[in-house]
Amino acid sequence: MEDTQGDKAIFGYLEAMGAKVEIKKEEMEVVVTGDVLKGVKLDLNSTPDALPAMAALSALADGVTELGNVPQARIKETDRISVMAEELGKMGIKCDEKEDALIVRGGKPKGSNVSGHGDHRVVMSLALLGSASCGVTEIETAEAVNITFPTFAKDFMACGGNITVTE
């Protein structure tokens, strides 16, 4: 929590959505709890890499979440605003795109065949959402996680995620 990496801001985003975040520095552990997330308006300008994960979480929230002020998310490994809108749509989640934002209307995602578009963060986010959805979700280009997180599937299962790796 002491480093300069901006992605730890996700804990504040989770709190804004209604989750309880407990940071246990001595144990080097973070515990996140909460029953129902609520839609909020978030400024992701300083954390554009958080957009896929926050889009997946927003799909599970009650209400509308705006992930805004993040035009640079369109020029990452993929156009993450467009890609997440497309893939969440396949799972039954309504989204709207703005030039610099993704609007997600939370709901009950359903399992579907989706694509990670070769983007490791999109793949991991869709795995999170697929694990929380009704039905089976299959992710094309899931091997993209090997770019940055080759132990993702194993670690995800250790945290309680439901995932099966196929060749």
Side-chain angles (χ1 to χ4, degrees):
M1 297 305 291
E2 307 303 321
D3 69 20
T4 58
Q5 180 69 20
D7 288 343
K8 64 183 167 273
I10 197 166
F11 297 123
Y13 303 155
L14 289 168
E15 286 180 320
M17 294 178 83
K20 180 183 174 197
V21 177
E22 183 182 1
I23 298 169
K24 300 178 177 183
K25 289 183 181 181
E26 291 173 15
E27 293 92 348
M28 295 180 59
E29 182 176 276
V30 178
V31 178
V32 179
T33 55
D35 291 326
V36 179
L37 297 177
K38 66 179 188 287
V40 294
K41 185 174 182 176
L42 298 172
D43 183 330
L44 299 186
N45 189 265
S46 63
T47 56
D49 288 337
L51 185 129
M54 292 309 302
L57 288 170
S58 298
L60 299 167
D62 283 346
V64 178
T65 299
E66 180 174 338
L67 307 171
N69 191 25
V70 66
Q72 67 274 40
R74 291 197 180 270
I75 55 170
K76 293 293 192 170
E77 288 85 340
T78 59
D79 176 341
R80 289 179 174 161
I81 291 173
S82 179
V83 162
M84 289 307 295
E86 177 183 348
E87 300 309 321
L88 293 181
K90 291 176 184 176
M91 298 178 84
I93 300 299
K94 292 183 179 9
C95 298
D96 296 306
E97 294 182 50
K98 291 185 176 180
E99 185 176 322
D100 69 341
L102 178 62
I103 315 296
V104 180
R105 287 166 176 69
K108 297 195 183 307
K110 62 182 189 304
S112 183
N113 291 332
V114 295
S115 174
H117 297 262
D119 184 328
H120 58 121
R121 290 182 190 268
V122 171
V123 170
M124 291 184 281
S125 299
L126 292 172
L128 168 85
L129 187 56
S131 187
S133 298
C134 295
V136 175
T137 297
E138 291 187 21
I139 305 171
E140 295 176 14
T141 74
E143 66 277 3
V145 298
N146 293 328
I147 295 168
T148 56
F149 198 167
T151 61
F152 172 75
K154 183 179 114 191
D155 294 343
F156 188 69
M157 287 186 285
C159 292
N162 182 5
I163 193 168
T164 302
V165 179
T166 59
E167 296 297 321

